[in-house]
């Protein structure tokens, strides 16, 4: 708790500090490569025959996903707090790679915790993190995925709090994390707003993003929350199907509970034990969801739906073939929703979907699923 | 002075003794054995028993207790069944029993229902390691109504303001965590423990017990020299894990606990 209070104080001060913000913007522009394009997916639009589809190209960020926006922000904060070591959890490996990257760039020592199940699914990213100079530590407890990696990172942080900052990767955990990470990711929506106003001279009708912890979706949605006419859909992982019980769709199968220091929708049994989850995409494979999403869910400001492994895989193929863009399997869940949504909308309407990451990291796994030996 | 925790500390003080608080994971390896173990621990000299409630994601615990929680969950342990075990134990022992539960177990049960059921079963105290006092208003009130002591944790990193607030809120005893870290880690900073325990005493008259990192009779002796009680968890749980398939497991554990109690310093009776 004292660690969280220290972090909150440091962040609230940094948030108001022009120098901190200027430094953050500098790295977003020159290191991450922002602003990322808002790309009109003409062939996909034509193929689906409905609303115009724009892709917010977070996959073009340095390291291949939106995760680096937050990693830069928190690494700058760690430096301000005088902490020479950073740790992180990772599911798909994208956040781990982002942290390993910024740690290298800022000269911080780093250790990344990853479930052993995820290490196997994302072997390429494990190797990338090690190449970047990070220690990757496997977590062989519980479901051996993201939630266990978070638990282990929290244990490390508790133990080494004097020297270490924990760079949590999504809008999860105890305050101030969900707020701080949302702030660092909100650049996605701010850029999108400007870009769509310039391209279409109006706001979009619908925003779509996948929701694991929910940082890319909050990042996109946040700048539009007050625009009541802009509808928003968050897409969870339905895994093998909601009825199979093997999924990570918290709003479909969960109820409020407390995990990792936050009260939110949680997949749990009658006794409050956290359920094992399943998704083809490691980044969506988590039993809880960011608390701000629970809030928007209960307010009915954002609609939450889900896509199965199969739908995500076929959306991956579709985007690769129609647009020459291989999405991360996480982002492919958002594309799967667009496949259902766009044909039901008018041709004059506009959808923006957050393409939160690129799919290079998933190529091996997709080959395995398709039975192809590389 | 109605509850068993206050009575136990008062009696120990009169006798010039320090409290040995023994932690075991309820349901590890089964609830039937937990019942047996509680009685054995009492015979071996434990003054208070802490019963862990197994949770799927125990973020405050090290590997020894994580594994115990997994064993307990595999044996079908739930909070309801633990309360049934406590009810059964209450026909045979008056030893103070404290539950250590992660908040989601209580939330799923319902705060008010849980506190009433726990009180009826004969639970005396409650530790919720992932519930900071700032967020505990509701649970505190329900526990208070049910006559259950809520015991809060203080850490070496706690600021003076926080120390005062937590000490004021704790009932039964204050749980001082001897190190920044998780259960089962190694105790290193005895001077720090001494200083912090003295500071906590300035803020409250409630007894101070020290846990995390107390593993050997030697640790117990050193920590017992400053605190009113010592809490030993992982070291006992490790014995249970090592002897889980042994029919004389409880005896092994009892023998170890006797060495802990014997090591605790005795002071001149006031």
């Amino acid at each position: 708790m004292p660690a969280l209070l220290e972090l909150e104080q440091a962040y609230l001060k940094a948030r108001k500090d022009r120098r901190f913000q200027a430094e953050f913007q500098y790295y977003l522009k020159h290191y991450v490569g922002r602003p990322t394009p808002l790309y009109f997916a003409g062939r996909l639009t034509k193929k689906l025959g409905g609303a115009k589809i724009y892709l917010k190209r977070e996959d073009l960020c340095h390291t291949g996903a939106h995760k680096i926006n937050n990693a830069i922000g928190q690494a700058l904060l760690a430096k301000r707090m005088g902490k020479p070591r950073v740790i992180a959890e990772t599911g798909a490996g994208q956040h781990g790679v982002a942290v390993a990257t910024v740690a290298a760039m800022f000269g911080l020592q780093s250790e990344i915790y990853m479930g052993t199940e995820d290490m196997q699914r994302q072997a390429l990213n494990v190797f990338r993190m090690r190449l970047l100079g990070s220690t990757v530590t496997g977590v062989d407890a519980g479901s051996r995925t993201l939630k266990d990696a978070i638990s282990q990172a929290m244990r490390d942080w508790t133990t080494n709090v004097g020297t270490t900052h924990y760079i949590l990767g999504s809008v999860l955990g105890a305050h101030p994390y969900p707020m701080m990470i949302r702030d660092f990711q909100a650049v996605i929506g701010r850029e999108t707003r400007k870009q769509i106003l310039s391209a279409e001279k109006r706001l979009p009708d619908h925003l779509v993003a996948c929701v694991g912890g929910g940082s890319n979706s909050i990042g996109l949605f946040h700048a539009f929350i007050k625009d009541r006419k802009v509808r928003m859909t968050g897409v969870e992982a339905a895994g093998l199907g909601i009825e199979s019980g093997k999924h990570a769709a918290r709003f479909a199968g969960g109820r409020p509970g407390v995990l990792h220091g936050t009260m939110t929708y949680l997949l749990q049994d009658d006794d409050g034990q956290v359920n094992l989850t399943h998704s083809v995409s490691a980044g969506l494979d988590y039993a809880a969801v960011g608390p701000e999403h629970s809030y928007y869910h209960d307010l009915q400001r954002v609609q939450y739906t889900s896509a199965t492994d199969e739908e995500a895989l076929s959306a991956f193929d579709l985007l690769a073939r129609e647009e020459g863009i291989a999405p991360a399997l996480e982002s492919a869940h958002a594309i799967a929703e667009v496949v259902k949504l766009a044909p039901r909308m008018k041709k004059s309407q506009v959808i923006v979907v957050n393409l939160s990451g690129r799919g290079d990291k998933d190529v091996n796994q997709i080959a395995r699923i398709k039975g192809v030996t590389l | 002075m109605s509850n068993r925790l206050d009575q136990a500390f008062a009696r120990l003080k009169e006798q010039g003794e320090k409290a040995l608080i023994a932690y075991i994971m309820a349901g590890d390896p089964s609830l039937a054995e937990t019942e047996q173990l509680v009685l054995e621990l009492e015979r071996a000299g434990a003054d208070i028993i802490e019963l862990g409630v197994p949770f799927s994601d125990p973020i405050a615990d090290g590997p020894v207790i994580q594994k115990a929680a997994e064993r307990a969950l595999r044996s079908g342990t739930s909070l309801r069944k633990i309360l049934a075990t406590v009810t059964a134990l209450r026909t045979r022992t008056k030893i103070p029993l404290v539950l250590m539960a992660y908040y989601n177990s209580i939330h799923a049960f319902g705060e008010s229902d849980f506190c009433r059921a726990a009180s009826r079963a004969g639970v005396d105290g409650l530790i919720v390691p992932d519930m900071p006092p700032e967020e505990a208003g509701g649970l505190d009130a329900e526990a208070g109504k049910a006559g259950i002591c809520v015991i809060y944790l203080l850490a070496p990193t706690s600021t003076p303001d926080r120390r005062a607030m937590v000490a004021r809120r704790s009932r039964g005893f204050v749980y001082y965590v001897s190190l920044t870290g998780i259960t089962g880690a190694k105790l290193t900073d005895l001077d720090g423990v001494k200083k912090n325990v003295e500071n906590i005493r300035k803020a409250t008259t409630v007894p101070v017990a020290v846990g995390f990192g107390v593993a050997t009779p030697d640790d117990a002796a050193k920590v017992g020299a400053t605190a009113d009680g010592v809490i030993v968890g992982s070291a006992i749980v490790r014995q249970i894990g090592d002897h889980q398939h042994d029919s004389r497991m409880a005896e092994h554990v009892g023998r170890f606990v006797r060495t802990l109690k014997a090591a605790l310093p005795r002071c001149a009776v006031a």
Side-chain angles (χ1 to χ4, degrees):
Chain A
M1 194 71 197
L4 290 167
L5 296 173
E6 181 196 1
L7 178 62
E8 183 189 20
Q9 273 173 6
Y11 175 61
L12 290 177
K13 224 169 123 193
R15 183 150 84 158
K16 284 186 295 195
D17 182 342
R18 282 214 192 94
R19 274 194 10 234
F20 178 85
Q21 293 300 338
E23 207 179 351
F24 181 46
Q25 294 308 322
Y26 173 87
Y27 286 107
L28 288 183
K29 182 173 176 191
H30 298 285
Y31 190 72
V32 176
R34 306 204 70 93
T36 58
L38 183 70
Y39 165 71
F40 173 59
R43 282 176 50 89
L44 183 66
T45 298
K46 206 165 153 201
K47 176 101 180 173
L48 295 176
K52 289 187 193 174
I53 301 160
Y54 283 84
L55 306 178
K56 179 59 174 166
R57 297 294 306 276
E58 291 299 298
D59 60 317
L60 294 177
C61 288
H62 177 43
T63 71
H66 71 292
K67 292 290 184 187
I68 195 152
N69 302 326
N70 166 52
I72 296 252
Q74 288 199 52
L76 285 171
L77 198 59
K79 275 181 53 183
R80 272 173 85 101
M81 294 170 76
K83 310 247 164 146
R85 176 173 179 262
V86 292
I87 55 168
E89 84 296 342
T90 195
Q94 289 305 96
H95 175 57
V97 166
V99 170
T101 298
V102 301
M105 194 256 291
F106 288 120
L108 300 164
Q109 193 196 336
S110 63
E111 181 163 359
I112 313 294
Y113 290 98
M114 191 168 186
T116 47
E117 163 86 16
D118 288 341
M119 284 176 80
Q120 202 186 0
R121 285 195 279 193
Q122 305 286 349
L124 185 67
N125 270 344
V126 174
F127 188 57
R128 275 173 86 190
M129 289 183 268
R130 287 181 175 150
L131 284 177
L132 290 159
S134 272
T135 305
V136 181
T137 303
V139 181
D140 200 21
S143 57
R144 296 167 180 80
T145 61
L146 183 59
K147 94 179 156 70
D148 312 287
I150 294 176
S151 296
Q152 199 56 32
M154 287 183 165
R155 293 182 188 115
D156 179 317
W157 195 35
T158 313
T159 306
N160 301 301
V161 61
T163 58
T164 301
H165 172 63
Y166 174 23
I167 304 188
L168 190 55
S170 194
V171 285
L172 299 167
H175 180 72
Y177 278 108
M179 170 185 82
M180 173 174 74
I181 295 163
R182 177 207 61 208
D183 289 353
F184 290 145
Q185 293 293 2
V187 63
I188 302 172
R190 281 198 304 272
E191 284 175 9
T192 300
R193 204 183 159 91
K194 253 190 236 159
Q195 290 165 320
I196 199 72
L197 284 173
S198 145
E200 292 285 338
K201 313 288 178 256
R202 65 184 190 86
L203 291 176
D205 298 284
H206 213 119
L207 303 175
V208 180
C210 64
V211 183
S215 70
N216 91 78
S217 42
I218 284 283
L220 175 65
F221 296 165
H222 196 249
F224 298 92
I225 287 290
K226 290 190 181 130
D227 303 306
R228 307 303 302 186
K229 285 191 178 147
V230 179
R231 302 191 59 181
M232 303 175 183
T233 299
V235 188
E236 300 184 284
L240 302 180
I242 303 296
E243 58 298 329
S244 75
K246 294 191 163 115
H247 63 84
R250 289 70 42 107
F251 292 117
R255 62 190 155 84
V258 174
L259 178 66
H260 293 141
T262 194
M263 181 174 278
T264 188
Y265 279 78
L266 176 65
L267 291 167
Q268 56 186 320
D269 70 10
D270 291 343
D271 293 327
Q273 304 294 345
V274 178
N275 285 349
L276 297 184
T277 51
H278 167 83
S279 169
V280 68
S281 99
L284 304 184
D285 201 352
Y286 181 63
V289 61
E292 194 167 344
H293 283 289
S294 291
Y295 175 67
Y296 294 139
H297 171 269
D298 288 355
L299 284 181
Q300 297 185 315
R301 177 65 189 95
V302 179
Q303 309 305 312
Y304 292 87
T305 176
S306 58
T308 62
D309 288 355
E310 214 177 298
E311 289 168 330
L313 287 163
S314 82
F316 178 100
D317 283 347
L318 178 70
L319 196 68
R321 287 168 185 238
E322 292 301 321
E323 296 289 351
I325 298 169
L329 279 175
E330 290 76 17
S331 323
H333 285 73
I335 302 295
E337 173 61 21
V338 170
V339 171
K340 298 174 204 167
L341 185 66
R344 298 202 302 261
M345 292 172 65
K346 286 187 232 145
K347 288 189 175 176
S348 58
Q349 291 185 295
V350 173
I351 298 177
V352 173
V353 52
N354 199 7
L355 200 69
S356 54
R358 68 176 185 225
D360 307 43
K361 70 183 172 64
D362 296 313
V363 167
N364 277 318
Q365 198 196 354
I366 291 170
R368 222 171 18 244
I369 292 168
K370 294 190 181 213
V372 178
T373 318
L374 297 176
Chain B
M1 191 163 292
S2 56
N3 74 72
R4 281 180 285 254
L5 279 168
D6 292 340
Q7 286 162 14
F9 276 106
R11 173 181 60 78
L12 289 164
K13 195 174 178 185
E14 250 169 52
Q15 297 169 356
E17 283 182 47
K18 300 299 174 105
L20 175 64
I21 304 172
Y23 172 102
I24 58 174
M25 177 64 72
D28 168 31
S30 72
L31 279 171
E33 282 158 295
T34 297
E35 209 176 316
Q36 220 191 332
L37 274 166
V38 168
L39 299 173
E40 178 64 32
L41 291 171
E42 184 180 24
R43 279 194 294 272
D47 300 294
I48 295 165
I49 310 276
E50 223 184 281
L51 287 175
V53 176
F55 182 51
S56 51
D57 299 82
I59 53 171
D61 287 304
V64 172
I65 293 181
Q66 286 176 45
K67 287 206 185 77
E70 284 176 19
R71 289 194 294 269
L73 288 173
R74 268 202 305 275
S75 79
T77 308
S78 67
L79 188 47
R80 273 171 217 284
K81 290 183 188 167
I82 293 169
L83 293 183
T85 298
V86 171
T87 306
L89 273 167
R90 277 290 170 240
T91 62
R92 304 170 71 180
T93 176
K94 291 190 167 63
I95 193 165
L97 292 170
V98 174
L99 293 189
M100 179 149 172
Y102 286 89
Y103 182 69
N104 205 47
S105 303
I106 296 168
H107 180 70
F109 203 112
E111 283 183 355
S112 165
D113 288 350
F114 165 73
C115 289
R116 281 199 302 254
S119 170
R120 258 200 316 275
V123 169
D124 304 295
L126 180 63
I127 301 171
V128 189
D130 61 343
M131 166 66 91
E134 288 90 336
E135 307 281 344
L139 183 62
D140 228 22
E142 293 295 341
K145 271 192 268 172
I148 291 177
C149 301
V150 180
I151 296 147
Y152 290 103
L153 280 70
L154 276 170
T157 47
S158 302
T159 55
D161 282 356
R162 203 178 154 70
R163 197 160 53 216
M165 183 266 287
V166 170
R168 224 175 21 247
R169 289 274 295 272
S170 281
R171 298 287 175 270
F173 62 93
V174 177
Y175 191 135
Y176 178 68
V177 176
S178 70
L179 41 84
T180 54
I182 52 178
T183 56
K186 204 165 159 45
L187 184 66
T188 49
D189 183 17
L190 264 171
D191 288 343
V193 171
K194 185 162 188 272
K195 213 174 74 205
N196 274 295
V197 169
E198 279 164 10
N199 281 329
I200 297 168
R201 278 197 217 288
K202 285 180 201 153
T204 180
T205 54
V206 171
V208 183
V210 175
F212 284 44
V214 185
T216 64
D218 188 47
D219 294 338
K222 285 177 181 152
V223 171
T226 43
D228 301 301
V230 299
I231 305 160
V232 183
S234 294
I236 295 173
V237 172
R238 180 178 285 123
Q239 298 279 333
I240 296 171
D242 288 351
H243 294 104
Q244 56 180 306
H245 303 298
D246 188 335
S247 60
R248 297 195 309 183
M249 180 262 285
E251 272 173 61
H252 283 287
V253 175
R255 204 170 309 138
F256 174 63
V257 169
R258 267 186 198 93
T259 65
L260 294 170
K261 180 66 183 182
L264 284 182
R266 301 180 61 100
C267 1
V269 178

